[in-house]
Amino acid sequence: MTVQDDQLITSSDPLHPANHICTLCKAFYALGWVTGTGGGTSIRRGSHIFIAPSGVQKELMQPENIFVLDYQSRSYLRKPPVLKPSQCTPLFLAAFDRGAGCCIHTHSQWAVLVTLLVERDAREAGQDVLQRCFEIEQIEQIKGIPKGRGKQGMLGYYDKLSIPIIENTAHEEDLTSYLEAAMEKHPDTYAVLVRRHGM
């Protein structure tokens, strides 16, 4: 069944999720975080999940391309004809189940490079890369990241930011169990890196 309820994605408010996802995807494309149709974004607003489609150039996305899912029933309230929902949808839902309000999946070359560097260091130390995290401290930029779910304040210059790394799979939806395990093991993380893939 195709559901086409345009009232869910029609708003003059630039921060409405359907508009905001398009703005974010265009910015992520300009930053090199997403390329072409790769990557994805989703925003939860109340009981609705707004999801960028698969197969649409991220810098050209329009609100009418956005899928809307009911969070509780996991059924689509709005499905654009012809388009497919993001393969990342199960990943987004796993994050929303743990309190996230927005999810971004990038194929950033910088995220991939970080996983390669951690992989190299783990190999040299005789360790399993999947038992390691990307860790960084004494860098100004981490001061913009909250300390963790339910914790007050932001990380400080001397705090350690730790981002878990999960194994890549051939299909993005198959990452779900790895993502869930990483979020359980590292409940304060706001990101999870995917080895040789992105974030």
Side-chain angles (χ1 to χ4, degrees), residues 42-171:
S42 181
I43 296 174
R44 180 176 179 189
R45 184 188 230 182
S47 63
H48 295 155
I49 307 291
F50 295 80
I51 305 167
S54 179
V56 173
Q57 295 286 123
K58 298 303 183 251
E59 75 278 17
L60 302 177
M61 193 177 304
Q62 298 296 316
E64 58 265 19
N65 302 139
I66 302 298
F67 286 77
V68 182
L69 190 73
D70 178 73
Y71 179 66
Q72 294 302 322
S73 69
R74 305 295 212 249
S75 60
Y76 284 99
L77 303 174
R78 182 178 193 283
K79 284 180 83 171
V82 182
L83 298 177
K84 295 180 189 175
S86 173
Q87 288 185 356
C88 299
T89 300
L91 304 170
F92 297 153
L93 291 171
F96 292 136
D97 286 345
R98 285 159 182 78
C102 176
C103 298
I104 301 163
H105 171 62
T106 80
H107 294 160
S108 162
Q109 62 185 345
W110 305 113
V112 173
L113 180 60
V114 163
T115 70
L116 292 172
L117 292 172
V118 172
E119 181 180 344
R120 179 203 63 196
D121 292 349
R123 190 171 44 249
E124 289 175 359
Q127 298 174 333
D128 178 3
V129 67
L130 299 177
Q131 299 304 312
R132 305 260 322 246
C133 291
F134 168 67
E135 295 179 328
I136 193 166
E137 58 190 328
Q138 296 184 21
I139 189 162
E140 190 70 15
Q141 287 80 357
I142 69 172
K143 291 167 65 175
I145 299 173
K147 287 186 176 182
R149 193 170 31 171
K151 296 181 179 177
Q152 294 294 321
M154 309 298 258
L155 291 174
Y157 180 78
Y158 292 104
D159 290 325
K160 183 183 291 184
L161 172 65
S162 184
I163 303 174
I165 301 171
I166 61 174
E167 184 58 83
N168 193 18
T169 60
H171 304 284

Side-chain angles (χ1 to χ4, degrees), residues 31-45:
L31 291 167
W33 294 0
V34 296
T35 55
T37 64
T41 305
S42 181
I43 296 174
R44 180 176 179 189
R45 184 188 230 182

